[in-house]
Structure formats: structure tokens, C-alpha cells
Amino acid sequence: MKRTFTLLALVIIILTCLWLFFMDPDKLTPDNPAGKTTYYTIVDNSSAKKGDNGRYNYELTGYTDQGKPKQLSFSTSKQLQTGAYIKLYVTLFRGVTHWEEITSDEIPRQVNFSEKL
């Protein structure tokens, strides 16, 4: 009986630690870069498709600060301007959580779109 309670207490402690680590409120805020990978891309409306729910679905190639590519999918309530630079916040399980339009000056030097487009 004592062994069962000890094991149960250990499981509860482990689950509490995991919950505190993964459910940090700052990490759950969509526009907070904490715990997220940042990607940069240029909008290409030829890949945009309007869904049944009225949202525009995009599939674009984003690049990390080091220039590594990744195919990203996300949706917006409005159609984005072709040629606009956007910054995407991406999490492992939720995908793109937030995007924002930026200027070309805000893109890291390692990301060179002219070679990749």
C-alpha cells in the first residue's frame, strides 16, 4: 500500500513538472516568439486558395534566420499583398501561430530570397 502511494505521488510530481514546462502562458501566446521558430517568406498569391470558411489558405516556403527552408501552411482572414515580406512564428505541434508583415530591412542577412525564389 505504501509503495502504491509513493508511486502515485511520483507520477503526480512528474506530470506537474511536465505541465509547468509545456503550459507556460508566455509560450501559448500566439504572437510571443518565446519557444517558437521564426521563419521569413515572401507572399505569393498564386498559392493562395480560398476555403469554404472564407479564409485564405497559403502554402509557402519559409526560411529560418540561418536560411534553412521549410514548407509552411497557414490561413488568414484576408488575402495578403503579393510580394509582401512576412514573419511567421511556428511551433512544433501547432504549426504557424502568428504572422506579421515586415519590411525588407527586418529580414536577417542570411536569408537571401533572390537565390531561393
Side-chain angles (χ1 to χ4, degrees), residues 85-102:
Y85 296 102
I86 57 173
K87 182 178 187 178
L88 304 160
Y89 297 107
V90 180
T91 62
L92 180 62
F93 297 112
R94 294 172 57 200
V96 177
T97 60
H98 181 73
W99 64 268
E100 61 186 38
E101 193 169 329
I102 59 173

Side-chain angles (χ1 to χ4, degrees), residues 40-42 61 63 67 83 85 104 107-117:
Y40 301 89
T41 190
I42 298 176
T61 303
Y63 299 92
Y85 296 102
S104 60
I107 296 175
R109 215 176 322 153
Q110 292 82 356
V111 179
N112 187 355
F113 291 117
S114 62
E115 293 177 359
K116 297 169 176 107
L117 294 178

Side-chain angles (χ1 to χ4, degrees), residues 5-102:
F5 285 125
T6 305
L7 185 60
L8 183 64
L10 183 63
V11 168
I12 290 173
I13 290 171
I14 290 171
L15 290 175
T16 302
C17 291
L18 288 172
W19 182 77
L20 289 173
F21 178 75
F22 287 111
M23 296 302 170
D24 181 13
D26 288 338
K27 290 182 181 179
L28 294 177
T29 306
D31 58 347
N32 184 354
K36 299 178 180 78
T37 306
T38 305
Y39 288 88
Y40 301 89
T41 190
I42 298 176
V43 175
D44 177 15
N45 280 326
S46 66
S47 69
K49 295 178 180 101
K50 192 168 186 177
D52 294 337
N53 58 1
R55 295 181 63 85
Y56 292 91
N57 300 312
Y58 287 90
E59 284 194 29
L60 301 170
T61 303
Y63 299 92
T64 62
D65 294 336
Q66 292 80 28
K68 294 180 183 175
K70 182 175 183 178
Q71 193 69 20
L72 302 169
S73 299
F74 64 100
S75 68
T76 65
S77 58
K78 64 178 186 174
Q79 191 170 18
L80 302 176
Q81 181 180 354
T82 300
Y85 296 102
I86 57 173
K87 182 178 187 178
L88 304 160
Y89 297 107
V90 180
T91 62
L92 180 62
F93 297 112
R94 294 172 57 200
V96 177
T97 60
H98 181 73
W99 64 268
E100 61 186 38
E101 193 169 329
I102 59 173

